Amino acid sequence: MTLWNRATLQSVLVPGGLILAVASLFIQHSWITLSPSALTFSYYAVFIAALVLSLRFRSLRIVFGAATLLLAQYALTAKGPVLHSGAGRTAFEAIALLVPLDFVLLTLLPERTLRRDHLVGIAAVLFFQSTFVAVFARPDQPEWSLLHFAFFHSYKLRLPQPALLMFGAALGILLWRLLRSHKAIDHGMFWSLLTACIALEAGGSSKSGTAYFAVAGLILASSIIENSYSLAYRDELTGLRSRRAFNDAVALLKPPYAIAAVDIDHFKSINDTYGHDSGDQVLRLVASRLAAVSGGGEPYRVGGEEFTILFPGRNAQDIFAHLEMLRMNIESCSFRLRKGEDRRQTPRESDRRATAGKAKVRAPARPASGALSVTVSIGIAESRSNARVEQVIAQADKALYTAKQGGRNRIEVASAEKKGRRTKASKPAQT
């Protein structure tokens, strides 16, 4: 699976990149002409919306991201026509250096956690920066040569080179976070900072600069909405699409299609033996392999350790080899447990009473290396004439149950003509 596949490109470009592209066309070609008062109203309306939404959803990074852009644009506007000469130039260069630095610092904040020490700390940083710009950008102060130090000659951009390098480093960090987490807030921060860079290059306090700053605020506001959508349709633990997204996708399924029901073997024993934190690690591990399934499969987390993969336009025979590869990939992965006490070594009195007179549940074996192998069982069903999708799902669940009863770590197909089979594993299936 390549890094820059279609899904990754879509997660990076939509909606922030799309908003910036459309807005740039309108701004550069003057397709819509706004009066200064209308532009100012739109500018403040966008930022008020971003602040209200971020406070409502307790998004600390968006709150201070919007505040940073507001303060930057206000300071630029205060310098007016002398922005690119003398003290105004010092203010412009300082702001251009501080904005990307602030966005990098905001990446260190935990999301949706409005703690008092965070609020006080960031507010103090912004106050100090505002004071720095106000004091050192006065006409009686000498210019800071470091702010406009030239690394390259014949440089024609308005942004000073140190600030441009800072923007490049900050955008690189934010892009890395975006590719790593695929979270809407990181997406909004990345595209908002890029738009702020374009706004500063356009002059900052000019009409086009103000318009670009408004677009940066709009991207921040849209990231809050996108984040709310992700929370509703994405499973937060695994990153896969959730049950609600699965129900919507099932409603749109048209024959032919195939459905695979996937379940982690002995998952309850893993939770009971090693704890729920280790169970969460197992879920994330399996989900990462499911996300890379080939054959056009679309994975969903539909329950605790239960997953479903939809294959539009395929039948059971088409997808069997892809699922067999998936099963082998999961089995071959060694899952390294976090440090902690094995619950099997510390039985509690209540546990002993509860299990007295009952058969002992076999727990997954923990190898000497501290790693644990995880396996899955899979049931496959395909669409048939006059069969509702609910019936196909039930057939896939029944085939999954057959795989469980047949020894686990295997694939069963819900068909009288096709026998489920298990490919011999390099290790015995213990989990």
Side-chain angles (χ1 to χ4, degrees), residues 267-302:
F267 183 73
K268 185 177 184 302
S269 296
I270 295 173
N271 267 338
D272 292 343
T273 305
Y274 304 112
H276 290 283
D277 287 343
S278 295
D280 289 347
Q281 286 183 275
V282 170
L283 287 171
R284 283 191 286 265
L285 170 71
V286 172
S288 67
R289 299 303 183 269
L290 291 173
V293 66
S294 57
E298 300 170 359
Y300 301 82
R301 186 188 181 194
V302 295

Side-chain angles (χ1 to χ4, degrees), residues 135-170:
V135 171
F136 289 97
R138 292 184 305 179
D140 58 335
Q141 294 291 332
E143 292 190 23
W144 285 42
S145 59
L146 289 177
L147 295 178
H148 52 266
F149 181 82
F151 299 97
F152 309 101
H153 300 289
S154 67
Y155 180 81
K156 297 182 180 179
L157 294 179
R158 178 174 286 150
L159 277 172
Q161 294 182 38
L164 191 63
L165 290 176
M166 181 64 76
F167 267 108

Side-chain angles (χ1 to χ4, degrees), residues 23 52 74 78 123 141 145 221 231 239 288 302 314 336-337 361 371 378:
V52 169
Y74 175 80
Q141 294 291 332
S145 59
L231 292 175
S288 67
V302 295
R314 301 297 184 96
R336 185 163 297 278
L337 293 166
V361 177
I378 303 175

Side-chain angles (χ1 to χ4, degrees), residues 20-88:
L20 177 57
V22 173
S24 296
L25 289 175
F26 279 89
I27 295 172
Q28 296 299 324
H29 296 281
S30 302
W31 289 350
I32 295 180
T33 303
L34 294 177
S35 63
S37 59
L39 179 60
T40 301
F41 173 81
S42 301
Y43 169 82
Y44 284 110
V46 164
F47 275 98
I48 289 172
L51 289 170
V52 169
L53 286 171
S54 56
L55 288 170
R56 176 65 181 84
F57 290 96
R58 301 178 63 83
S59 180
L60 187 60
R61 281 191 282 161
I62 299 300
V63 169
F64 284 111
T68 297
L69 296 181
L70 272 172
L71 288 173
Q73 209 277 336
Y74 175 80
L76 293 172
T77 304
K79 292 297 178 182
V82 296
L83 185 60
H84 301 291
S85 62

